[in-house]
């Protein structure tokens, strides 16, 4: 049933929910519903077990509610809210102090709908109510996962295309959801993609957007989504590619009625073949590097909703995430739970950005202070830490001494012209929201916004903090102005003053270029993928349905790597020399992949023992990567192919083998395998080096 609210589900004929109807249908805490759901899931999974099903999606576009409905106030949700706040506060006295109430026990505590909470100025109670709904929504997926695993142990369970936007009423706390599921394919957005990659656990099944027959581009030879999204999914950290759909006669199908793939889908098939030839395994097994932190605070999102401001909403998080990428970094999203657990100290990001993060706990504040005092860099925009984790305004912001400010409350937001010192902004005047109540208290200002300081720098312990007393708005729509984009120029200058630069430099500003690093021990893979932003390419169509011409421009630049090594162009299988630089020419939507290796690869060796094997017996073979320094050897992927006596590849015997120096493999042959001379072909993914060996299969021809 996709776990949707039946009264607002988009695929049902009518929205039957009224403004004052605040009980979800079905209510996710109702024990009768949960029991029927458990039985239904168990019954369906039991039937699928015989087909070796391991991954289960609970549906596409599973939405808590569609629209601004402040659900759910059923009897069971109200009772569960009492349990939730009791766990949060511990004693009724602490809750009363926070809410300004005189409840004698938690049984008297009631969640308030938005309108009632506004009338009573009860922000803490309403923020807690929304945090509770976040837990209820995530909790139902955990319940479904556990129900399915009761029948299919170890199954991966989740959803697709759901919780599309950051919003209070959608109940989508991405951290909580990531703890409740281990299968997810999103509709691509830069923030959601970064959150999915940041919060995922090892072994999760991840997709980063659909490709397929959207818009039925059957007459087109090349399609933007099928080219770009296929590669982007892998480079974002995905390990699965999701296609809608392969239904043959349907209008959105990637195949014709006779099930031949359309021309426009050939680009995706070509990309998948290349990934499955070893590149996919190499990047999936490596550790994807994300070096620029973005703070994600559901409590702050709910606080902003209560205040009626658009600051800190979905668009702002998308802007900051995409701007981070366009400046050459990769964002890592930090949840309050991760920050309190000390992850900032372990990960040591180049910087952490707080976008309208008003509401933080004392524990979060202390963890952030420890991070900065230890040498970290904290960047924030309007009103950081001026409220507690329940949205209640504090007398003094918890991070004021970190930023060297005073007076910030969030109640003095105005619009003003940004005039930064020492930064030339080309184009239109930037009139942005800012906090007019901010004053300096140890920090030093650079420029003004309206009647207040614009950029405030402060030293704290061994680290530094920067308050941008304004909110970046509309960056993504303005990307077409690259490289003279005002926000990009502003942030690049601020980061340069902090001596923060990308680990991989391109010399010139390449529009739409995304750089990603993967580490496998001392070996690095560095990828470059250019989107269509401010390029000379001409498109037809709109949005994700655009057609791409056959001939695409080549962008040339020199990449400078973070460390010296032996550099290989992986997709071309070519050695580019020893050093830190490589000259590249890339086509839009097609990636370049470099490997920086701490040793020179001097070919590979392959041998089979014994040289003759009978039908049904095991063949043993050895792979060795030769290098100029065996002490520095790292894991490489070697592609193995078995060729039968008729010259045909037998795919089920081959595969992508992780090899660290050398590897011993064995393969049992079929009882009726073709007798004669067989060939094993090995190809090193990085260098393109190849080796062959032969063996004989004895036995009777059948």
């Amino acid at each position: 049933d996709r776990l949707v609210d039946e009264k607002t589900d988009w695929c049902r004929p009518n929205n039957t929910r009224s403004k004052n109807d605040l009980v979800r249908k079905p209510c996710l805490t109702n024990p009768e519903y949960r029991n029927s759901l458990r039985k239904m899931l168990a019954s369906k999974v039991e039937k699928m077990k015989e087909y070796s099903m391991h991954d289960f999606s609970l549906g596409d576009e599973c939405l808590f509610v569609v629209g601004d409905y402040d659900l759910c106030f059923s009897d069971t949700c109200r009772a569960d809210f009492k349990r939730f706040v009791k766990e949060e506060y511990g004693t009724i006295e602490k809750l009363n102090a926070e809410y300004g109430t005189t409840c004698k026990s938690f049984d008297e505590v009631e969640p308030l709908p938005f309108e009632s909470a506004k009338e009573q100025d009860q922000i803490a109670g309403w923020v807690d109510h929304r945090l509770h709904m976040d837990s209820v929504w995530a909790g139902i997926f955990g319940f479904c996962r556990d129900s399915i695993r009761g029948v299919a142990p170890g199954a991966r369970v989740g959803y697709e295309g759901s919780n599309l936007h950051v919003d209070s009423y959608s109940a989508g706390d991405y951290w909580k959801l990531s703890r409740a599921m281990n299968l997810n394919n999103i509709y691509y957005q830069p923030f959601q993609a970064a959150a999915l990659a940041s919060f995922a656990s090892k072994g999760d099944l991840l997709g980063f957007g659909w490709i397929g027959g959207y818009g039925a581009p059957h007459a087109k030879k090349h399609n933007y989504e099928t080219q770009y999204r296929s590669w982007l999914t892998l480079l974002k950290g995905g390990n699965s590619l999701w296609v809608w759909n392969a239904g043959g006669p349907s209008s959105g199908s990637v195949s014709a009625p006779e099930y031949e793939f359309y021309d426009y889908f050939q680009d995706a098939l070509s990309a998948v073949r290349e990934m499955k030839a070893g590149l996919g395994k190499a990047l999936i097994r490596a550790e994807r590097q994300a070096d620029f932190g973005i703070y994600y605070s559901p409590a702050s999102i709910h606080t902003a909703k209560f205040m009626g401001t658009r600051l800190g909403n979905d668009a702002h998080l998308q802007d900051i995430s995409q701007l981070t990428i366009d400046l050459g970094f990769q964002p890592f999203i930090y949840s309050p739970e991760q920050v309190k657990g000390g992850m900032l100290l372990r990960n040591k990001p180049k910087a952490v950005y707080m976008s309208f993060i008003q509401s933080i706990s004392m524990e979060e504040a202390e963890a952030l202070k420890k991070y900065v005092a230890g040498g970290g860099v904290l960047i924030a925009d309007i009103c950081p830490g001026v409220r507690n984790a329940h949205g209640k305004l504090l007398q003094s912001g918890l991070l004021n001494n970190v930023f060297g400010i005073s007076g910030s409350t969030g109640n003095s937001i105005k619009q003003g012209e940004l005039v930064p010192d020492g930064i030339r902004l080309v184009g239109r005047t930037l009139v942005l929201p800012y906090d007019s109540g901010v004053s300096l208290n140890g920090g030093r200002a650079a420029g003004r916004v309206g009647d207040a300081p614009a950029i405030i720098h402060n030293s704290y312990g061994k680290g530094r903090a920067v308050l941008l007393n304004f909110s970046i708005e509309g960056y993504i729509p303005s990307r077409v102005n690259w490289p003279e984009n005002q926000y990009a120029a502003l942030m690049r200058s601020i980061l340069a003053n902090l001596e923060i630069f990308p680990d991989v430099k391109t010399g010139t500003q390449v529009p739409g270029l995304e750089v990603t690093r993967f580490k496998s021990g001392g070996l690095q893979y560095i990828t470059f993928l250019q989107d269509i932003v401010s390029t000379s390419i001409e498109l037809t169509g709109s949005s994700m349905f655009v057609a791409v011409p056959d001939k695409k421009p080549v962008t040339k630049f020199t990449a400078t790597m973070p460390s010296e090594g032996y550099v290989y162009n992986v997709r071309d299988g070519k050695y580019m020399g020893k050093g830190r630089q490589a000259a590249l020419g890339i086509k839009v939507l097609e990636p370049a992949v470099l490997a920086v290796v701490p040793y020179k690869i001097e070919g590979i060796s392959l041998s089979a023992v014994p040289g003759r094997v009978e039908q049904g017996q095991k063949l043993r073979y050895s792979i060795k990567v030769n290098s100029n320094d065996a002490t520095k050897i790292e894991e490489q992927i070697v592609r193995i192919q078995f060729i039968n006596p008729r010259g045909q590849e037998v795919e089920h015997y081959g595969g992508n083998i992780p090899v660290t120096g050398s590897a011993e493999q064995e393969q049992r042959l079929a009882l009726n395998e073709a007798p004669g001379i067989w060939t094993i072909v090995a190809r090193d993914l990085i260098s393109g080096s190849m080796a062959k060996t032969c063996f004989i299969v004895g036995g009777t021809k059948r």
Side-chain angles (χ1 to χ4, degrees), residues 162-227:
S162 306
N163 288 109
L164 285 66
H165 307 290
V166 176
D167 177 70
S168 285
Y169 293 140
S170 68
D173 181 326
Y174 297 112
W175 170 256
K176 290 179 180 178
L177 287 165
S178 74
R179 303 304 92 189
M181 62 177 71
N182 47 8
L183 176 153
N184 196 346
N185 177 53
I186 63 172
Y187 285 129
Y188 181 81
Q189 295 278 6
F191 173 76
Q192 280 78 2
L196 179 61
S198 302
F199 297 161
S201 299
K202 187 175 182 179
D204 287 1
L205 187 68
L206 306 178
F208 286 84
W210 293 89
I211 64 170
Y214 293 93
H218 303 147
K220 302 168 184 174
K221 188 172 182 180
H222 301 287
N223 177 261
Y224 168 73
E225 283 295 311
T226 53
Q227 286 195 41

Side-chain angles (χ1 to χ4, degrees), residues 475-521:
Y475 168 69
I476 289 179
S478 71
R479 291 176 75 210
V480 294
N481 299 322
W482 195 270
E484 296 297 332
N485 182 279
Q486 295 165 306
Y487 293 126
L490 179 65
M491 188 59 70
R492 190 182 297 112
S493 177
I494 291 169
L495 294 177
N497 287 335
L498 293 166
E499 299 181 327
I500 295 175
F501 303 98
D503 285 329
V504 180
K505 301 173 180 62
T506 57
T508 59
Q509 301 300 325
V510 181
L513 182 68
E514 180 163 355
V515 181
T516 312
R517 293 189 300 124
F518 298 80
K519 289 188 70 174
S520 179

Side-chain angles (χ1 to χ4, degrees), residues 621-639:
Y621 61 96
S622 302
I623 311 165
K624 183 181 179 183
V625 175
N626 304 309
S627 72
N628 67 345
D629 190 345
T631 65
K632 296 181 179 179
I633 206 77
E634 298 288 357
E635 179 182 282
Q636 296 174 220
I637 301 299
V638 176
R639 176 71 172 174

